[in-house]
Amino acid sequence: MNLILLGGPGAGKGTQAKKLIEKYAIPQISTGDILRAAVKAGTEMGRKAKEYMDAGKLVPDEVVIGIIRDRLAQADAKKGFILDGFPRTVPQAEALDKVLGGLSAKIDHVVSIDVDEEALVTRLTGRRTCKNAACGQMFHIKFTPAKKEGICDKCGGELYLRDDDNETTVRSRLATYNQATKPLIDYYTKKGLVRPIAGVGGIDDIYNKIVGILGAGSGCACSCGGGKH
Ligand code: AMP
């Protein structure tokens, strides 16, 4: 199954992707995670991307399109993938169509997670993420606190507030989302791919809604879209 998770910053794309990859045994491809790894590694691309990320702006299309082209060409993406945070602009979506066309693949579903803007600000500014890149578990100081403050329940790693989760940057990311990314709902509605989900309630409630909509009773990970055989 080839899936796109769409939604504002903090809508829960990453959290849901982490649960969905376990169910379907397909990789999560997060351009945000790949860019943060490049920033941490201090690569040329990472240095350039950091300026945009810290300002809550989008990294130029050609950079993220290149990242996705390389990542989708890897063997593990052949059995399916979950795109988290890509595409974020119409030109990125058009480029994705081309890349997939070249791989004889297509998107099966675009899950659009809808959450009220003020709720997103509260979610993001209280979010804490595990520093251990292999874990990446997320917590919230109010809603899902770690058992021991600042320590990941899952792997014992240190929890941190992402550089771009401060309120000023969060508001800028939301404005960018409204202006550049929301038009994608129209883009994929025209293709009949959008599956809207109300992103309210507990993590498991939202997950169950997504799995229900994907018709995933069989847990099928092939491009049939799930549940068809
Ligand atoms: P995320 O972890 O998905 O919230 O992404 C964090 C930041 O990385 C964003 O605010 C952007 O600066 C950058 N970024 C991630 N994905 C993309 C993308 N598809 N296009 C442009 N910038 C991106």
Side-chain angles (χ1 to χ4, degrees), residues 31-32 35-36 53 57 59 64 85-86 88 92 162 173:
T31 38
L35 289 166
R36 275 184 291 280
M53 295 167 82
K57 298 224 164 76
V59 172
V64 281
F86 183 94
R88 263 176 154 100
Q92 288 181 18
R162 263 172 50 172
R173 288 163 68 198

Side-chain angles (χ1 to χ4, degrees), residues 209-223:
K209 277 192 264 181
I210 296 176
V211 170
I213 276 193
L214 298 181
S218 68
C220 180
C222 88
S223 62

Side-chain angles (χ1 to χ4, degrees), residues 106-186:
K106 63 174 181 49
I107 296 298
D108 298 304
H109 305 277
V110 176
V111 174
S112 170
I113 309 177
D114 305 320
V115 184
D116 166 81
E117 275 201 27
E118 284 314 304
L120 290 180
V121 175
T122 309
R123 274 192 196 181
L124 286 175
T125 51
R127 181 160 80 171
R128 298 293 180 272
T129 309
C130 178
K131 253 189 186 165
N132 172 6
C135 173
Q137 186 68 35
M138 282 182 277
F139 298 84
H140 192 282
I141 50 171
K142 233 196 211 158
F143 308 132
T144 49
K147 289 193 186 99
K148 209 168 161 198
E149 202 187 319
I151 305 291
C152 177
D153 290 354
K154 213 170 158 189
C155 76
E158 192 187 332
L159 302 182
Y160 78 110
L161 174 68
R162 263 172 50 172
D163 286 349
D164 57 351
D165 278 347
N166 66 78
E167 186 166 348
T168 313
T169 309
V170 165
R171 298 237 175 244
S172 166
R173 288 163 68 198
L174 280 169
T176 303
Y177 173 75
N178 287 330
Q179 188 253 324
T181 309
K182 261 196 178 163
L184 289 180
I185 295 177
D186 237 33

